[in-house]
Amino acid sequence: MLSTLPRTYTSKLQANLPVSPITVSELSAQLRSGEISSVELTQDYLQRIERSELNAFISVSADSALAEAQTADAKRAQGDDHPLLGIPVAHKDIFCIEGTLTTCGSKILHNFIAPYTATVIQNMQNQGLVSLGKTNMDEFAMGSSNENSYYGSVTNPWSSAGEQLVPGGSSGGSAAAVAAGLAPAATGTDTGGSIRQPAAFCNLTGLKPSYGRCSRYGMIAFASSLDQAGPLTHTAADAALLLNSMAGFDTRDATSLDTPAEDFTRHLDDSIDGLIIGMPSEFFSSDLDPEVASIVEAAIKSLESLGAIVKQVSLPNSHLALPSYYVIAPAEASSNLSRFDGVRYGHRAEQYTDLVDMYTRTRTEGFGDEVKRRIMIGTYALSSGYYDAYYAQAQKLRRLIADDFNSAFEQCDLIVGPTTPAPAFPHGSKTEDPVAMYLNDIFTIPANLAGLPAASTPAGFTKAGLPVGLHLIGPYLQEAKLLNAVHRYQQETDWHLRSAPGAAATESA
Amino acid sequence: MALDDKTILGIAQLARLAIPQQEVDRYRQELSGILELVAQMDACDTSAVQPMTHPFDATLRLRADEVTEIDQRDKFQSLAPAASDGLYLVPKVID
Amino acid sequence: MFTWDPRWEVVIGLEVHTQLRTQSKIFSGSSTSYGAAPNTQASAVDIALPGVLPVMNEAAARMAVKFGLAIGAHINRTNVFARKNYFYPDLPKGYQISQMDLPIVGLGNIDIETAEGSKTIGITRAHLEEDAGKSLHEDYQDATGIDLNRAGTPLLEIVSEPDMSSPAEAVAYLRKLHSLVQYIDICDGNMQEGSFRCDANVSVRPRGQTELGTRTELKNINSFRFVERAIEYEIERQIDILEDGGSVVQETRLYDADRHETRSMRSKEEAHDYRYFPDPDLPPMVLEESFIESVAATLPELPAAKKARFIEQFELSPADAELLTASRAVADWFEEVVTNSQADTKLIANWMSGELFAALNKAEVEIDQSPVSAGQFATLMNRITDETLSGKTAKQVFAALWDEGGDVDGIIEAKGLKQITDSGAIEKIVDEVIAACPDQVTQFKQGNNKVIGFLVGQVMQKSQGKANPQMVNKLLQEKISQ
């Protein structure tokens, strides 16, 4: 089948440093035109991954990736013209893929070869996407810096020579991989900001869909009522394409939405003239890094120049989102992580005296510090006598927070603000203070609590050259409208087209 | 809200985690810090608010009563730390 | 009959776990059939692989609602699954999905028959939950084997009020419930296979005291007899402790049938804190009226209604009606006999509760496996009614039917059991007996009425049991008095 492709191909990717990142849409066009084959593309990405020193991947599936690429090329030769056929992607190591090491960033799953495939991955495989490997992440998706991985921390490709920066988390490996050109797109999951925050730190487009859009079956649970899968890409157009392949009703997930399939690219090019954009005063407090504030304000001006109308709105309970989240997420996690007991799969301690000792040693050895902290907090919050004060109270505040959004969306179409209070920080700078680390997610958490779709788009750089993200939140199920605004903004700006210094360094090696 | 050592060790025991004596202090500080953050919730009167357990107040879908699974024991048990004759093995349980 | 010092009052509440007879598990598509090789019916969901999710079985919800309707209970239109968190190797997720604050079935009640008459037992609630797997302790020296085939089997846990005040009442309630769940076809009732399991909460208090004594929970008692004996033992144990000035410890105890004693389950003594919270994987179950109506349409006539109808329609005594409606199969069998027979319903009731039930008990078979069909039984009743058979010969025919099969009239023919109702033939034998027993005839004439029995017996013997006893009696009296 490869014989149908041009034999004179030489990798443009290898030969010339790209001035701007290569998007899925561009690769899709090249695959369609026959300019490149999926096998060539896959080999090329595998070589880049091989050369990379960012530690973005926990495992690489070179053989199965090439086999999948061959199948894709064969299908292409038979006339299959799916836009994502043969596109290589990276998957966060939270998704089970049959026959593949699936660790969730934890020692407790260091030997876990998943015996089944997550629905999201299955959907993508059905459309012909090629899986390059599994990306690094904070253990069980708990973290905002990727420093909580048992498999080591990840370097942000935007780090300058002198200072190693974190890529954000928990989907830090996915973000670093895409930003460094090790994959044109990657999957992530977002419980409190784990797609959007690393997207902001790595100059990517990150989309958290509405809760229920993407099946959670096969995605290792952190906080079940908040977790949602989504893509990390360079552009909104790519995010829409990827979401098309990931989303869909799944009978295996009782919280999956039973809505008709939709094409998330359908509104990308619509005009945003007259779109009403809400600016909640609560997202622009004095705590916000002034450089971030001015970049975000400039981005909002760009949207205005496209015809959007800016309106002040209020989310009066948003300050309660972080405390509520740090009850709900650990509580659910403490229960979700009970299955890791050394009985049926995963790590089991080598020495123990009895059953309880086996459990305790297995879990104590298998979980890292942050995971243990959250299990402890969650166990405490659910324990007898504290349930009402903690869990029930947090669930009530959650309703108040969701109600705030409902009221706001009566006055505006989308809500904007900064994705993070500050840009990427150096390795080790926040690891000693859990609460300081948690504050990273202060703007992203409210959308998780309310189940709303939200995206981060590159919006500019600090004087030090670090990317800053603009955060947009949409009403429930309005991903297409959200992506429309981001896409129009990206048509007007070129922040998302800037390549990371780390990406160039990797390719010139 | 500060936690005492006894509470910390009690929680750890419920969660099947071991906390060595020299780490109890660290846990107390870290967990108390998180609970301080969480305590901001107390300021809000929610007596008239219904808890929101699911992000979009969905209701349960029911599935038809059909056997759809096949036997995959050998595949699943190849992952087990200890299994024999089709059983998962654990240290002797005394009732 | 078990008795105890009447200064003490006994308070018993039962928690009964009934396995619902669905095809597949409550939250997965695995088979629930019994007896498969270990872990061959344990799917990814049942063994709690990372990333798997539960999906609720509609049939389990229907069966729970059916039970609620059958006991006139409140059905919670919105009910919620919650996680009960604890570590145990037969509980793969580290939590059991159950219902806590909002169970599917709320308050209801069940009437039982006691020595003192009818009594109403309150049902606090009935909730859906998943069963755990099985721990096998015997097979290995230093290890316990875990079989997760049963993990995820749907259970309806039926919790009673502490309304029973003797072991006999507890058993009467348990039997009634056992019959009901089979009546409405939600449970196979097989206690050996664990489809119907009982925990008993038992406490005692000085008679007249209003507050309850400290209770103990007796776990996993798997037969009616053991329930009775376990509670009896526990009552004696608690009274002994209290009379010695001690106090009962609130704990879980296991009944050991071999030693007839209960003992503390030390491994369960550790303070439990189950940390219940609504399961985020399962949104609240909201039952539409149309759903509840569709379940109501499948409800059969319930035991109480059937019993009342049997008393009214068939003129049975309350005791006979109770016996014949104790199971749906027995009631259906009775009605089939009545339909196919001209015999008096009272005669049928007597024969079923006597000859048939004795034979069934002896052979340890259920009525639906009876070698004597309802149709043959109806013919047998007809032959008694039309006086072809006497009570005695009818028993011979029944025994032949049971042992060898065949049909009633064929057996009567083959064995020559047709009753002699020809008065000429009987008269001839009566004359022979009067001639042969002059002493007894004289005694009868002198007023010793009892001796007639001897003379009837002689005639019956000579007729090989085939003479109609009423006719013999009548002729003897007439002839001697002449």
Side-chain angles (χ1 to χ4, degrees):
Chain A
M1 294 304 161
L2 285 172
S3 60
T4 60
L5 293 166
R7 287 181 175 282
T8 55
Y9 171 83
T10 53
S11 173
K12 289 178 185 170
L13 304 171
Q14 280 178 290
N16 308 302
L17 295 184
V19 180
S20 58
I22 300 166
T23 66
V24 171
S25 309
E26 286 163 357
L27 292 173
S28 174
Q30 291 175 24
L31 284 165
R32 273 179 161 168
S33 71
E35 199 177 327
I36 47 168
S37 73
S38 177
V39 168
E40 288 161 331
L41 199 54
T42 301
Q43 278 169 337
D44 197 65
Y45 279 111
L46 288 170
Q47 283 165 20
R48 292 163 179 237
I49 294 167
E50 177 84 37
R51 289 198 302 267
S52 167
E53 287 170 359
L54 301 174
N55 199 28
F57 282 79
I58 291 175
S59 61
V60 180
S61 321
D63 293 347
S64 62
L66 287 169
E68 286 166 27
Q70 266 176 12
T71 306
D73 286 336
K75 283 186 177 169
R76 176 80 65 192
Q78 283 160 7
D80 189 337
D81 198 32
H82 192 280
L84 295 175
L85 179 63
I87 300 281
V89 287
H91 294 301
K92 186 175 183 178
D93 204 21
I94 199 168
F95 294 101
C96 288
I97 303 182
E98 185 167 355
T100 299
L101 181 69
T102 301
T103 70
C104 217
S106 182
K107 179 184 177 184
I108 211 155
L109 288 176
H110 68 87
N111 55 358
F112 180 68
I113 309 293
Y116 76 107
T117 298
T119 302
V120 160
I121 305 298
Q122 190 64 58
N123 290 346
M124 296 175 88
Q125 287 179 352
N126 292 347
Q127 309 219 341
L129 284 131
V130 171
S131 170
L132 293 166
K134 311 290 288 291
T135 58
N136 207 334
M137 58 181 286
D138 282 304
E139 184 180 6
F140 287 104
M142 298 177 191
S144 308
S145 68
N146 215 117
E147 291 166 295
N148 298 331
S149 170
Y150 175 67
Y151 304 92
S153 55
V154 174
T155 304
N156 188 330
W158 290 89
S159 300
S160 52
E163 201 170 35
Q164 295 283 298
L165 301 177
V166 301
S170 65
S171 311
S174 286
V178 178
L182 310 182
T187 54
T189 59
D190 191 316
T191 306
S194 283
I195 290 174
R196 293 160 288 160
Q197 185 254 16
F201 279 16
C202 294
N203 203 44
L204 298 175
T205 303
L207 173 66
K208 181 200 93 71
S210 306
Y211 183 82
R213 271 290 186 204
C214 295
S215 168
R216 293 187 296 114
Y217 190 78
M219 189 175 106
I220 299 175
F222 160 18
S224 311
S225 72
L226 303 166
D227 296 344
Q228 185 56 209
L232 288 118
T233 54
H234 290 292
T235 66
D238 284 1
L241 276 174
L242 265 284
L243 184 59
N244 276 352
S245 71
M246 297 171 73
F249 173 58
D250 182 9
T251 54
R252 287 183 178 274
D253 175 1
T255 61
S256 164
L257 277 168
D258 192 1
T259 52
E262 54 180 286
D263 176 3
F264 295 101
T265 66
R266 70 191 188 282
H267 290 308
L268 283 176
D269 293 318
D270 290 2
S271 163
I272 60 164
D273 192 18
L275 186 82
I276 303 170
I277 287 178
M279 256 181 88
S281 50
E282 292 82 0
F283 288 176
F284 294 89
S285 72
S286 52
D287 297 344
L288 186 61
D289 179 304
E291 256 192 302
V292 170
S294 63
I295 288 168
V296 169
E297 277 154 21
I300 293 169
K301 286 267 184 302
S302 297
L303 288 166
E304 275 188 297
S305 73
L306 290 163
I309 300 154
V310 174
K311 200 168 175 179
Q312 291 293 323
V313 294
S314 179
L315 300 170
N317 292 296
S318 58
H319 66 289
L320 296 168
L322 192 68
S324 308
Y325 176 86
Y326 276 97
V327 171
I328 294 168
E332 293 182 7
S334 71
S335 176
N336 284 332
L337 269 54
S338 293
R339 69 188 58 200
F340 302 103
D341 60 5
V343 175
R344 297 163 313 285
Y345 46 77
H347 177 71
R348 179 188 280 197
E350 283 196 6
Q351 292 186 336
Y352 40 83
T353 54
D354 59 16
L355 178 70
V356 172
D357 192 45
M358 189 279 276
Y359 281 155
T360 307
R361 282 176 190 257
T362 296
R363 291 166 59 80
T364 304
E365 290 170 14
F367 293 137
D369 281 349
E370 181 62 19
V371 171
K372 285 181 201 166
R373 260 197 295 277
R374 298 212 196 178
I375 291 175
M376 293 284 287
I377 284 289
T379 303
Y380 178 70
L382 291 174
S383 64
S384 174
Y386 296 101
Y387 178 85
D388 286 337
Y390 289 112
Y391 196 75
Q393 174 73 353
Q395 296 283 40
K396 288 175 172 183
L397 295 178
R398 183 174 189 176
R399 185 172 298 282
L400 293 181
I401 289 158
D403 287 349
D404 283 355
F405 277 111
N406 291 337
S407 309
F409 284 128
E410 284 170 12
Q411 303 166 54
C412 65
D413 299 312
L414 298 173
I415 287 169
V416 294
T419 307
T420 59
F425 46 87
H427 279 140
S429 62
K430 293 184 197 279
T431 42
E432 295 305 307
D433 183 354
V435 174
M437 187 70 91
Y438 299 169
L439 289 169
N440 262 287
D441 296 329
I442 195 156
F443 299 130
T444 46
I445 282 172
N448 295 88
L449 291 173
L452 301 174
S456 179
T457 176
F461 293 86
T462 62
K463 290 189 194 78
L466 296 181
V468 170
L470 174 73
H471 190 218
L472 298 93
I473 305 170
Y476 195 50
L477 300 182
Q478 298 293 317
E479 285 87 349
K481 186 186 269 183
L482 187 66
L483 289 165
N484 165 224
V486 178
H487 179 69
R488 294 303 302 220
Y489 173 76
Q490 291 178 351
Q491 298 298 101
E492 201 60 24
T493 56
D494 68 350
W495 309 116
H496 61 291
L497 298 177
R498 309 278 177 96
S499 265
T506 306
E507 285 169 45
S508 61
Chain B
M1 167 99 203
L3 294 171
D4 58 26
D5 291 7
K6 189 169 163 247
T7 307
I8 286 170
L9 293 172
I11 304 165
Q13 205 250 341
L14 267 179
R16 297 289 184 269
L17 293 172
I19 296 181
Q21 199 53 48
Q22 69 271 18
E23 285 184 29
V24 175
D25 260 3
R26 179 171 68 83
Y27 267 96
R28 188 178 53 235
Q29 280 167 26
E30 290 173 351
L31 299 184
S32 299
I34 298 168
L35 289 176
E36 212 169 286
L37 166 75
V38 164
Q40 293 171 20
M41 298 198 307
D42 301 350
C44 191
D45 176 12
T46 53
S47 46
V49 183
Q50 280 296 307
M52 179 170 164
T53 50
H54 292 86
F56 50 97
D57 286 329
T59 60
L60 192 61
R61 238 186 337 263
L62 302 175
R63 111 186 121 74
D65 179 26
E66 289 162 2
V67 175
T68 53
E69 295 288 347
I70 51 158
D71 173 21
Q72 299 189 76
R73 180 179 77 183
D74 294 347
K75 184 166 151 191
F76 292 157
Q77 288 199 337
S78 68
L79 299 163
S84 166
D85 301 325
L87 297 167
Y88 293 100
L89 297 185
V90 297
K92 194 95 181 162
V93 177
I94 303 125
D95 263 328
Chain C
M1 176 75 186
F2 173 76
T3 55
W4 65 93
D5 186 335
R7 285 175 298 178
W8 296 94
E9 192 179 1
V10 170
V11 179
I12 304 164
L14 298 184
E15 292 170 13
V16 177
H17 290 88
T18 53
Q19 268 183 15
L20 299 176
R21 48 184 311 177
T22 53
Q23 299 299 307
S24 63
K25 292 187 180 177
I26 184 165
F27 299 119
S28 85
S30 298
S31 170
T32 54
S33 65
Y34 182 83
N39 290 307
T40 55
Q41 288 174 182
S43 69
V45 172
D46 307 321
I47 68 168
L49 285 177
V52 298
L53 296 169
V55 187
M56 173 66 191
N57 184 337
E58 187 194 48
R62 283 188 174 275
M63 290 179 188
V65 169
K66 201 171 180 183
F67 175 77
L69 294 174
I71 61 162
H74 176 72
I75 307 291
N76 282 316
R77 265 53 176 180
T78 298
N79 60 90
V80 172
F81 285 105
R83 294 183 181 179
K84 178 182 182 179
N85 293 283
Y86 65 96
F87 285 92
Y88 206 71
D90 64 11
L91 189 71
K93 294 187 293 297
Y95 58 85
Q96 179 194 32
I97 304 177
S98 180
Q99 297 192 302
M100 182 61 181
D101 289 337
L102 281 169
I104 188 162
V105 176
L107 286 175
N109 46 65
I110 286 181
D111 290 337
I112 60 166
E113 300 303 321
T114 71
E116 292 80 35
S118 187
K119 180 172 178 178
T120 298
I121 306 297
I123 302 293
T124 315
R125 57 186 283 156
H127 63 257
L128 285 164
E129 63 183 27
E130 56 180 342
D131 208 344
K134 278 183 184 164
S135 301
L136 305 165
H137 305 295
E138 284 78 26
D139 301 359
Y140 301 92
Q141 190 74 42
D142 304 312
T144 291
I146 306 295
D147 176 7
L148 298 174
N149 280 350
R150 199 182 63 182
T153 299
L155 298 178
L156 187 67
E157 180 174 341
I158 302 161
V159 181
S160 84
E161 295 286 311
D163 284 349
M164 287 151 279
S165 48
S166 71
E169 282 185 17
V171 171
Y173 163 78
L174 199 61
R175 284 192 186 278
K176 192 79 181 214
L177 195 60
H178 185 246
S179 154
L180 177 66
V181 295
Q182 292 177 85
Y183 241 94
I184 61 174
D185 202 24
I186 63 168
C187 175
D188 67 16
N190 191 323
M191 294 173 93
Q192 276 81 45
E193 290 176 6
S195 302
F196 188 86
R197 314 196 287 271
C198 173
D199 299 341
N201 291 310
V202 179
S203 66
V204 300
R205 60 181 168 192
R207 197 166 291 280
Q209 180 180 302
T210 44
E211 67 266 36
L212 292 168
T214 304
R215 67 185 165 87
T216 56
E217 186 178 5
L218 310 180
K219 276 276 177 207
N220 270 333
I221 329 174
N222 61 5
S223 83
F224 294 117
R225 201 166 70 91
F226 290 166
V227 168
E228 191 159 17
R229 285 167 56 94
I231 296 173
E232 285 171 5
Y233 175 84
E234 189 58 19
I235 290 168
E236 282 174 340
R237 191 186 71 89
Q238 290 188 14
I239 290 176
D240 281 353
I241 291 173
L242 295 171
E243 285 184 341
D244 289 348
S247 51
V248 173
V249 179
Q250 182 163 349
E251 62 181 353
T252 301
R253 299 180 69 85
L254 198 66
Y255 178 66
D256 183 335
D258 297 332
R259 297 184 185 174
H260 180 47
E261 62 177 30
T262 64
R263 61 187 153 80
S264 182
M265 292 174 76
R266 291 187 202 289
S267 64
K268 302 246 172 182
E269 265 179 30
E270 175 206 331
H272 276 309
D273 185 342
Y274 292 124
R275 292 159 282 141
Y276 281 98
F277 74 108
D279 192 329
D281 290 330
L282 295 161
M285 192 192 320
V286 176
L287 302 173
E288 305 290 342
E289 285 314 307
S290 57
F291 180 86
I292 292 168
E293 282 162 20
S294 74
V295 175
T298 65
L299 263 188
E301 184 185 25
L302 296 172
K306 204 182 272 283
K307 181 181 165 186
R309 177 168 67 82
F310 276 23
I311 294 170
E312 168 76 20
Q313 185 181 343
F314 304 126
E315 296 175 343
L316 299 180
S317 69
D320 280 348
E322 174 81 18
L323 205 59
L324 293 173
T325 55
S327 89
R328 200 164 152 184
V330 168
D332 289 349
W333 212 89
F334 172 75
E335 291 208 81
E336 193 183 336
V337 174
V338 169
T339 308
N340 293 300
S341 159
Q342 292 81 49
D344 182 30
T345 50
K346 181 75 193 156
L347 176 80
I348 298 171
N350 285 344
W351 267 80
M352 275 182 70
S353 56
E355 211 64 16
L356 178 69
F357 285 2
L360 291 171
N361 282 342
K362 195 175 164 205
E364 291 180 347
V365 294
E366 295 300 318
I367 198 161
D368 41 14
Q369 282 115 43
S370 167
V372 178
S373 71
Q376 287 302 322
F377 196 82
T379 309
L380 183 66
M381 296 300 104
N382 285 342
R383 294 297 163 265
I384 298 170
T385 306
D386 66 17
E387 299 190 333
T388 304
L389 296 174
S390 66
K392 192 169 176 180
T393 49
K395 285 180 184 176
Q396 291 176 42
V397 175
F398 179 84
L401 274 176
W402 184 278
D403 292 335
E404 296 144 34
D407 69 290
V408 171
D409 291 328
I411 293 168
I412 292 171
E413 188 65 34
K415 293 191 185 285
L417 292 175
K418 189 169 163 39
Q419 186 165 250
I420 303 166
T421 50
D422 170 4
S423 57
I426 296 175
E427 203 173 342
K428 190 166 161 269
I429 305 171
V430 166
D431 289 340
E432 285 169 25
V433 169
I434 288 174
C437 307
D439 291 354
Q440 283 81 1
V441 170
T442 309
Q443 281 172 28
F444 184 74
K445 281 182 174 165
Q446 286 165 353
N448 183 354
N449 290 333
K450 283 185 198 159
V451 81
I452 194 80
F454 171 80
L455 295 168
V456 171
Q458 291 297 305
V459 177
M460 293 306 290
Q461 204 171 7
K462 277 187 176 290
S463 74
Q464 292 165 311
K466 287 186 281 187
N468 180 313
Q470 282 81 37
M471 283 180 73
V472 171
N473 199 307
K474 187 163 159 265
L475 276 170
L476 270 172
Q477 301 223 26
E478 278 171 13
K479 284 191 180 275
I480 296 171
S481 314
Q482 272 171 10

